[in-house]
């Protein structure tokens, strides 16, 4: 059986929500592969927690999330960089592994790929964010055309090396999400509270419809969150904190729909499939990952991007959606088994090419 070393995101410890959806992807994939007999070790910033998966915590200063920086900014590493320390650890233990799988959306692991003896598969968790990063990723895609994986085609299309990307989608452990047939009146908004997610649009929409909106997620940018509260002092919104999956799915299931309003090209949007698994329809802007996930008029509504009016119309029609269809879509398209099959096929392809 293959032995795999995962490199986690360097922007935060696993379990804090700082890393966004990739935290869930790492947990789910590791769990599925371990079940299949793979040996997995995850290297992550110290304090990281995963359910039943061995994690090696590495100390050091966290990376600044790339999406908070401008496109033209040079690559930055702080003193005692956790990313540098994680890669140094990987270099030392690489001979125990068949393959390293990198989830860090950062320059250094791409740059170091040819310096390692062990092959490195790169799973990219965001769309194009930085010129310097695009450049090094393009170079690796050219020299190792099998080794780049992404969530969706919309995400791949943001990169100059779109054609080399393996599209791997995402999945959740469906047994952890309960179907909830009878919602309350409230809508949900779920995710990192940061400008690229444009929470203000969801708040503007419920400010018009008067529908209560429950907000769940990590406040990544406190000033941004303050601004929204100031701009919409009377909006029917309630912040409910960052919840672990078990509590989150219970709360989410009670909601009439999930609003997704990303300003950027969302690479996937794990929250969309979590909602569907609870039987919660998804109202989203029609771009990026959610556009590939939501079946317009069947499991939610796809709305003209950045249109508050479009959100309002969709909110008013939400009862047309059959919640059973939502759960059904999650079961058919987003099971851990199919995710495991796709990743295993990808890893085997990389190893076959590399061993030729
Ligand atoms: N999340 C969570 N608890 C919360 C709110 C969000 O665990 O209270 C998680 C959610 O399960 C999802 C992630 O935060 O996995 C957000 O990921 P998504 O792919 O939607 O967006 P990203 O943050 O990667 O841009």
């Amino acid at each position: 059986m293959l032995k795999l070393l995962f490199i986690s995101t360097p922007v935060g410890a696993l379990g804090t929500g700082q890393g966004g959806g990739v935290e869930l992807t790492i947990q789910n994939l590791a769990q599925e592969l371990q079940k299949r007999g793979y040996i997995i070790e995850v290297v992550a910033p110290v304090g990281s927690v995963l359910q039943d998966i061995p994690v090696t915590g590495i100390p050091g200063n966290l990376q600044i999330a790339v999406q908070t920086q401008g496109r033209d900014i040079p690559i930055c590493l702080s003193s005692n960089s956790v990313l540098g320390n994680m890669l140094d650890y990987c270099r030392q233990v690489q001979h125990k592994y068949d393959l390293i799988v990198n989830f860090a959306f950062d320059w250094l692991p791409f740059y170091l790929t040819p310096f390692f003896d062990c092959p490195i598969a790169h799973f990219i968790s965001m769309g194009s964010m930085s010129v310097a990063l695009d450049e090094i990723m393009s170079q690796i895609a050219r020299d190792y055309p099998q080794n780049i994986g992404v969530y969706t085609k919309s995400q791949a299309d943001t990169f100059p090396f779109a054609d080399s990307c393996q599209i791997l989608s995402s999945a959740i452990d469906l047994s952890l999400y309960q179907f909830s047939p009878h919602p309350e009146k409230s809508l949900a908004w779920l995710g990192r509270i940061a400008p690229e997610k444009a929470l203000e649009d969801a708040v503007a929409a419920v400010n018009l419809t008067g529908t209560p909106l429950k907000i769940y997620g990590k406040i990544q940018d406190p000033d941004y969150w303050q601004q929204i509260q100031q701009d919409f002092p009377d909006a029917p919104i309630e912040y409910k904190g960052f919840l672990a999956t078990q509590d989150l799915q219970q709360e989410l299931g009670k909601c009439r729909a999930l609003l997704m309003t990303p300003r950027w090209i969302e690479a996937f949007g794990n929250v969309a499939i979590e909602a569907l698994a609870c039987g919660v329809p998804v109202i989203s802007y029609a771009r990026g990952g959610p556009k590939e996930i939501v079946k317009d008029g069947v499991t939610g509504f796809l709305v003209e991007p950045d249109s508050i009016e479009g959100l309002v119309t969709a909110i008013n029609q939400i009862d047309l959606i059959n919640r059973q269809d939502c759960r059904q879509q999650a079961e058919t398209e987003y099971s851990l088994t199919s995710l495991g099959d796709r990743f295993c096929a990808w890893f085997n392809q990389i190893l076959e090419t590399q061993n030729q």
Side-chain angles (χ1 to χ4, degrees):
M1 247 329 148
L2 289 183
K3 299 192 178 74
L4 305 177
L5 183 62
F6 282 15
I7 304 177
S8 184
T9 168
V11 304
L14 286 165
T16 61
Q18 197 70 28
V22 77
E23 293 189 25
L24 191 66
T25 300
I26 291 171
Q27 166 73 49
N28 286 337
L29 183 65
Q31 183 184 319
E32 177 63 21
L33 296 176
Q34 202 169 261
K35 201 173 97 191
R36 294 177 185 212
Y38 284 60
I39 308 291
I40 312 270
E41 176 186 349
V42 179
V43 182
V46 77
S48 287
V49 182
L50 283 178
Q51 206 83 44
D52 304 324
I53 310 287
V55 183
T56 302
I58 303 286
N61 292 314
L62 297 171
Q63 280 298 96
I64 296 171
V66 181
Q67 71 271 23
T68 64
Q69 311 285 295
R71 277 194 75 76
D72 294 314
I73 247 164
I75 299 302
C76 287
L77 286 169
S78 68
S79 67
N80 185 27
S81 152
V82 76
L83 180 60
N85 295 345
M86 281 159 64
L87 284 156
D88 187 42
Y89 173 82
C90 293
R91 181 184 57 79
Q92 292 176 46
V93 300
Q94 63 177 320
H95 297 291
K96 293 197 235 161
Y97 291 92
D98 299 299
L99 183 66
I100 295 172
V101 188
N102 170 47
F103 293 88
F105 186 84
D106 216 302
W107 186 84
L108 194 59
F110 285 90
Y111 177 78
L112 288 177
T113 303
F115 293 82
F116 271 74
D117 296 323
C118 183
I120 305 183
H122 296 276
F123 182 77
I124 302 178
S125 60
M126 281 187 253
S128 168
M129 291 287 142
S130 127
V131 173
L133 193 46
D134 273 11
E135 194 177 284
I136 194 73
M137 291 193 289
S138 300
Q139 224 166 296
I140 294 306
R142 188 195 61 213
D143 296 343
Y144 305 85
Q146 315 288 336
N147 294 33
I148 310 282
V150 295
Y151 281 119
T152 59
K153 170 139 194 338
S154 321
Q155 177 199 0
D157 286 343
T158 67
F159 295 115
F161 49 89
D163 291 344
S164 316
C165 294
Q166 305 284 322
I167 313 247
L168 296 156
S169 190
S170 189
I172 47 174
D173 181 348
L174 289 156
S175 69
L176 299 179
Y177 299 80
Q178 249 180 326
F179 175 61
S180 172
H182 306 298
E184 294 166 1
K185 194 166 174 239
S186 319
L187 303 171
W189 190 96
L190 201 53
R192 290 177 296 105
I193 298 178
E196 65 271 17
K197 298 289 187 173
L199 169 60
E200 67 273 22
D201 287 15
V203 175
V206 298
N207 202 34
L208 292 171
T209 60
T211 327
L213 179 69
K214 293 183 175 161
I215 300 167
Y216 304 90
K218 174 93 192 161
I219 299 177
Q220 210 170 33
D221 186 335
D223 294 342
Y224 168 72
W225 171 230
Q226 280 301 325
Q227 190 62 50
I228 293 177
Q229 287 168 291
Q230 262 174 38
D231 291 346
F232 299 94
D234 302 319
I237 61 173
E238 193 183 353
Y239 176 61
K240 309 283 282 180
F242 175 79
L243 304 187
T245 299
Q246 174 53 26
D247 300 326
L248 182 66
Q249 66 87 28
Q250 220 165 41
E251 291 289 317
L252 184 56
K254 293 186 208 152
C255 295
R256 192 159 289 271
L258 174 72
L259 295 183
M260 287 185 79
T261 47
R263 195 75 72 215
W264 69 354
I265 296 187
E266 185 81 45
F268 186 79
N270 272 327
V271 297
I273 59 175
E274 296 185 271
L276 294 177
C278 299
V280 176
V282 179
I283 296 172
S284 175
Y285 288 150
R287 70 173 152 224
K291 188 178 174 191
E292 295 183 37
I293 300 167
V294 177
K295 292 186 166 46
D296 190 29
V298 181
T299 59
F301 292 107
L302 289 170
V303 166
E304 186 198 327
D306 310 318
S307 164
I308 309 295
E309 211 178 299
L311 293 173
V312 168
T313 308
I315 292 169
N316 289 331
Q317 295 182 340
I318 201 63
D319 290 337
L320 296 175
I321 303 296
N322 176 351
R323 291 171 76 91
Q324 192 70 57
D325 288 345
C326 300
R327 171 73 194 188
Q328 189 57 52
Q329 188 191 353
E331 284 179 12
T332 319
E333 298 178 25
Y334 300 108
S335 73
L336 284 190
T337 316
S338 34
L339 182 82
D341 290 348
R342 291 190 296 273
F343 270 83
C344 289
W346 179 42
F347 296 155
N348 289 334
Q349 198 181 322
I350 293 172
L351 293 172
E352 272 165 29
T353 316
Q354 224 112 346
N355 293 333
Q356 270 166 19

